[in-house]
Each structure stands twice: as structure tokens, then as C-alpha cells.
Amino acid sequence: MSDDPLLLAERRHLHESLACLEQMREAAMRIADYGVDALASESLGRLRADRLDQLSVDGSAPPFFGRTDRDPDSQHPAGEVFHIGRRHIRDSSGDPMVIDWRAPIARPFYRASTADRQGVRLRRRFGFADGRLTSFEDEHLDAGEELGLASDLLRDEIERPRVGPMRDIVATIQPDQDELVRADLDTSLCIQGAPGTGKTAVGLHRAAYLLYSYPERLRRSGVLVVGPNSAFLRYIAQVLPALGENGIQQSTVDQLVSSLPAAAADPVLVAILKGDARMAELLRRAVFSFIAKPTEDLVPIVGTRRYRIPVERLRRYVDDARRSMAAGELRWDSARERLRQLLAQDVRRQREDAGGAPSDAETAKVARSPQVREFLDAVWPALDPRAVLVRLYTEPEFARRCAGDRLSAEELDLLSWTRQPGSAGQAVPQPARPGAKQARATRYARFSPADLVLLDELAGLITGVDGFVHVVVDEAQDLSPMQCRAVARRCPLGSLTVLGDQAQTTTPWAAGSWPLALAHLGHPGAQIRPLTIGYRVPAEVLEVANRLLPHIAADVPPASSVRTGEQALSYTADLTGAVRRCLAAEGSIAVIVPDARVPGVLSELAAAGITAAGLESEAAGRVTVVPATAAKGLEFDSVVLLEPAEIVAAEPSRLAGLRRLYVCWTRAVSRLAVVHTEPLPAELAGQPRVM
């Protein structure tokens, strides 16, 4: 095929495209700074840097991966030809050499079929090896030819071994995935995706698509990607830069809310309670409890004159501020500042009514006067979220008043530090109201991860938090209601892409269903869209994993896979033998083990002469030992799974253990070797005995 004139022509187009891309980079580097002013120079520098990032060349990624030939029309009698790639490339005349995969004209590459050609008569896919174009595969849609997943090149790309972080999937996006990727910005989606269906990739590619399609709205306020842990964020970190998108913020929920380090751990029952949505009302009542009713007139002094603000008017000002805050129009601090300005303006009007002409500076001085400051401290004091939370934990009577009938006495006991010495937090006794002593006392407090989420809720009430136009939340099924609220605060007016699988829920504080989670995320009307066709996990592996579904998530539909694999699933008692067999194949390898066994397995592999590293290690290599609790969201070409029964037993309940096993069982892209000497869990009935 190397002498095929069509292949030679495509290679010429490849080389010309690379040359044009280099010319575009050189042109971007020549963007001149004429020194108009410092602000213009800084803006121009950012523009140049962003443009160079977008045009950065990834040597492992060819400039295009597909092509569409369009039907002839009056303007193009021969029909137009478009090469589809990761970024737009134009020649010196401005004509396109490669079309960005996100452009509307590229959509038919993913969606066209013989039943709905969308103007495409031919679709061509390309095969590459070491950056060299080696083959192509055509579908003549106008002649009824449609390969779909029977395409050898498509399957080769899906199954291509990987070492290192997650890759983009722009060359293999399927129609059901593309429909979700190209949903408009104002649409919130919840994607219930079975293992291997590409839900994470869909979410990331949707972020890239939205940034391309709505640049003005998104680049100002940004896109946030929330993942389950730091290992997962490292795994996906290169997907968006590979698509030419930089500057997207990526964070775990813990990182998102961490105003200070978590230095304590909650018992499970306490963590569940702190993640309960009822805590939001308790915190809201705690904040509002610091509003006091004015009891006497306020008399600010201006020069030698005294101006009286009657107590009735003061009460009206305070009530108006309370209502504005209750309606969500103001935060505590901004309401306090508005109240300050209302008092200063009241004095200004009195002075004007008396014939005076007070200046803005004089009015501002009244707002800062001792009388106004003392009034505010008495009726609307400045609050520190940490001080408020510590008071709830250390003053049982205050906590009881704030809880009302929402929490039982037993639940309040779980929260109380004074009744639970040595638990999550320790603090010295607190004064009745926030102040200097209480602020100092919070230095002794030790907060847990669940506490940090509560502090974020308080910060949202008191000061507010930064927001984004779009947020992608992966593994969202594990979030507590209060964690969901923390995400919702970052996206009060924007849209969400929520990704997850209820069958993979492994936290005891999870919301429990998508409708509940979406309500807490602030988007109860989000569309819930299932993905059930697996493209990454072999059918043999999924078939066994699906046996767990009736026990862990009866409402979740089982997944099917378009792929089968030779020796995709095997069982053995020999750990090092299983790893060596995986090393004989290409790609990345994970040894997923019960958490407590990580050090021992690393030592065992080292003694056998097999180089392996832990998940958090900086050392790069093919073999990674992964604790079972950190496997979620990751995938590897080969997985060696050690002692499934022990993984199940390590969790606090049978349900949680089986869900953990479901996660670990479905991390393999090509092959899964199950290593066990203990019997497999009964829920996997029908599997062969160990050989």
C-alpha cells in the first residue's frame, strides 16, 4: 500500500500541514509589542503565550486523523474535502489545511451514516505509526458502505496500548458520545456511564468543545474540572492541553474547599452526619443567630453635632438586610457593609435636611465612626467561619438552638467536641459571641475533611466564593450532599457536566441517587443520559462485573462491550507470574491490591526482579501498584487484581466492599488477571476455580 497514489497524496498533505502549523507558530512568536503601555504589553504577552500553547506541537499526535468528502453543490462542483484534526491549520492564503474537530463542519465525521449522510459521501480514517502515515480506510457512505466499529483502524486506535496519562479520544468519538460532547453551554448533563464507556473522556472533550464554541463567555469566568483524587487529576491532566486548551482549573473537592489543612479524621458516623444536607440549615441558622435586634437609638457624632437615628428605623434597616441575605441577594459581609452605608446615608440626609451639604468624604467618615462601628459589632458582627463552627461544636446549647428539630439529641452528641474528647476536633472553651478571644481559640482547632466542607458552606454564607461558567464533576456519585453544595456554589448561574456511575459508589455519605445529587448540585433539571456501550473494557471482563450489579445497584443497566480479547480474563494463584505475563504484552500495568498489602507487594515484586512503583511515586515505569481505594477513574492496559475477597472484606459493609470490587474489576483495557488463594466472593458465582 506504500506506493498507493492516494496514500502518497495524503502524506504530502500531512507534510504540508505540519509546515503550515510551524509557520503559524512562527507568526505567533512575531506578534509585536509596540510599547503602548504596561497593561497593553501584559495583555499582548498573555495573548501570544496562549496562542503558542494552542499551536504547540505534540510529536506523537499527527495533525489530522480523518477526512470527509462532501457532496458536490453549486459552489463546489467537485465537492469539498476537509481533513479533521485536533486544531485548525491554515496555509499562507488563509485556506484550511486541517479543520478543528470541534468546528460545526467537522460534526458529520462523527455523526454521518448511510441512513443520514449529512452531506458526506466518503469518510476516511488514517493509520499512523511513529508519526508516519501508514494506511487509510474508506467508507463510501453514498454507496451504502459503513464500517462503524468494524473499522480496523478505529478498533486499533481504541485498543492502542498506553503508558502514562490518559489520552484524548478525538479520533474515536462515537455518535452517542459526540451528541453529549456537543451539547450547548446552557445545558446541564448528568452522564451515567458504565465502566469503559468513556464518560470521563466525554466530560473533558465537552469542556474543550465549550471553550472553543463559547470563548468569550468561558475564558472570562473559566471552566472547573473536579476529580475524586490527586492521582486521577494527574491521570487526566494532559487531555485538555493536547486539545489546545490550557488554563482550565482542576481540583479535588478537598482542594476546592481547603482554607486550611485537614488535621483530623472523623469516625464514619460523624462524617456521614457532617455530609448530610441538614447541616446546611444548621449552619444558616447559626449565622443568622448573630443578628441582634436594636434596642436603642444610634447617635453618631459629626464634629460637634449629634444626629439621632431612631431605634424603629434601625430595626427596619436590620430587617431589610436580613431579608436580602435570606433571599440570597447578599452575603453576610456585604449585608454588613450595606447596613454601614445605610446608617451613613441616614446621617447625610439629616444634615441635608438641615441645610448642610456633606461631602462624600464626610459621609464615609460617618460610616467609619466609633458609634457606627460599635452598633454594627453589636447587631451584625464580623464573623469568622472557623469561629462559628467551633462554637457549634463546643457549645451544645447553641448547637441545639440552631438545629431545632432537624437533628436528634444523639446526632448533636456526635457533633459535640466537648462530649466527644479526642474525636475529630479539639478546642478550648469558647466565649458566647465571636471576638478576639474566639478567633485566637480557633488556632487550637483540628478540622477534618468534612469540617472543611462545612467551613466552605459558612464561607459561602459570609463572604462568598469564586464562580465558574461551567463545571465538570467526575465520580460525582461519591459526593455527599454537602460536597455537592460546595460544587454548586462554584456554579450558581452556569451549567454542569456531571459524570459517574451509581454502581461505583464507594463512600457511605453519598447522596444515593442522581436526582438527589443533582438537586444538591443546584441543577435538578439536568438531563440524565446513560452510556452503556463499553469501548475500553473487554466483554469478558464486563460480563463478570455485571454479575455484581443486582447486589450493588439494581437500577443501573448492565454494560455491553464492543470488544473481546484473547486471554482477556484469567485466574491464577501466582502473583509474579501474572505480572510477568502482562509484561510480555504492550502497555501499562496496574497491580491492584488491598490497601494494607501495598508495601508487601512492592517488596515481593522487587525480590522477583520486577521493577514497580507506588501510585504516588515520581518514578516512571510500566508497573504501578495501586491501592484498591485509589483505583477509581484510572485505567490500564493490563490489570493484576489481588485477592478480591480481601478487597471486599476491607470495607465497612458488604455493599461497600462489592462496589469497591466492581471498580477494581473494571480498570483493565485489554486483560485482567485475577490472583487469589481465597475463594472469590459468592456474588461472582460461576467463575472457574483457581488453577
Side-chain angles (χ1 to χ4, degrees), residues 332-594:
W332 179 271
D333 285 357
S334 53
R336 173 182 161 92
E337 185 58 29
R338 176 182 286 187
L339 191 55
R340 182 196 301 277
Q341 296 306 319
L342 285 172
L343 300 175
Q345 290 298 326
D346 192 300
V347 173
R348 179 174 188 149
R349 285 193 300 273
Q350 292 186 48
R351 296 181 69 189
E352 290 173 343
D353 291 345
S359 66
D360 290 343
E362 289 173 322
T363 303
K365 187 174 181 180
V366 173
R368 298 191 302 270
S369 67
Q371 296 82 17
V372 170
R373 186 168 60 248
E374 290 170 7
F375 173 82
L376 289 173
D377 288 345
V379 304
W380 203 286
L383 295 182
D384 176 357
R386 292 172 294 178
V388 176
L389 191 62
V390 166
R391 187 178 177 198
L392 280 168
Y393 288 164
T394 56
E395 295 186 26
E397 180 57 27
F398 175 64
R400 187 191 64 76
R401 290 199 311 271
C402 294
D405 59 359
R406 293 177 180 271
L407 298 184
S408 67
E410 292 77 11
E411 288 173 323
L412 288 171
D413 283 345
L414 287 176
L415 291 178
S416 176
W417 284 355
T418 59
R419 300 185 190 182
Q420 298 290 331
S423 63
Q426 298 287 336
V428 299
Q430 304 298 304
R433 300 183 66 80
K437 290 182 180 179
Q438 188 168 359
R440 286 195 298 272
T442 61
R443 292 182 307 198
Y444 297 96
R446 298 173 62 243
F447 295 111
S448 69
D451 290 329
L452 298 185
V453 178
L454 300 183
L455 288 174
D456 189 74
E457 181 83 20
L458 286 167
L461 291 166
I462 295 169
T463 61
V465 297
D466 294 335
F468 298 83
V469 176
H470 191 77
V471 177
V472 178
V473 194
D474 207 349
E475 303 297 347
Q477 76 280 350
D478 276 343
L479 299 183
S480 72
M482 293 303 292
Q483 287 175 320
C484 289
R485 290 178 60 87
V487 173
R489 274 190 293 281
R490 270 73 185 179
C491 192
L493 301 175
S495 56
L496 294 177
T497 300
V498 180
L499 312 167
D501 179 7
Q502 288 295 333
Q504 297 185 55
T505 303
T506 53
T507 58
W509 45 78
S513 72
W514 287 130
L516 283 175
L518 291 170
H520 296 309
L521 285 164
H523 289 74
Q527 301 176 29
I528 302 176
R529 304 288 295 274
L531 287 176
T532 58
I533 300 176
Y535 301 102
R536 300 290 297 166
V537 182
E540 295 87 343
V541 174
L542 271 183
E543 189 275 327
V544 177
N546 284 340
R547 298 178 187 179
L548 295 173
L549 289 179
H551 307 281
I552 62 176
D555 294 336
V556 173
S560 60
S561 178
V562 301
R563 302 173 51 234
T564 58
E566 185 178 352
Q567 297 182 336
L569 180 60
S570 61
Y571 300 84
T572 181
D574 181 5
L575 173 64
T576 57
V579 175
R580 285 197 173 96
R581 284 191 290 275
C582 291
L583 283 168
E586 292 184 280
S588 57
I589 302 166
V591 183
I592 301 179
V593 305

Side-chain angles (χ1 to χ4, degrees), residues 158-276:
I158 290 174
E159 298 174 4
R160 180 159 58 99
R162 65 183 61 202
V163 175
M166 180 180 177
R167 298 192 303 260
D168 67 72
I169 62 165
V170 290
T172 63
I173 294 174
Q174 295 302 294
D176 60 333
Q177 298 172 325
D178 188 67
E179 180 184 357
L180 300 175
V181 166
R182 295 179 190 269
D184 65 64
L185 178 56
D186 295 323
T187 299
S188 287
L189 293 177
C190 174
I191 301 174
Q192 160 63 43
T197 55
K199 58 184 176 293
T200 296
V202 166
L204 295 176
H205 286 66
R206 186 182 184 209
Y209 170 78
L210 293 176
L211 283 164
Y212 175 89
S213 302
Y214 305 90
E216 294 305 316
R217 290 176 62 183
L218 285 173
R219 294 192 193 282
R220 272 198 308 272
S221 299
V223 173
L224 171 66
V225 175
V226 180
N229 52 54
S230 296
F232 176 83
L233 292 180
R234 288 196 301 272
Y235 176 63
I236 68 169
Q238 297 306 310
V239 173
L240 290 167
L243 299 173
E245 297 297 347
N246 294 281
I248 293 177
Q249 183 173 331
Q250 298 186 359
S251 175
T252 65
V253 173
D254 289 346
Q255 292 166 350
L256 202 62
V257 303
S258 59
S259 54
L260 66 166
D266 286 317
V268 172
L269 289 179
V270 176
I272 293 172
L273 177 59
K274 289 179 179 180
D276 194 298

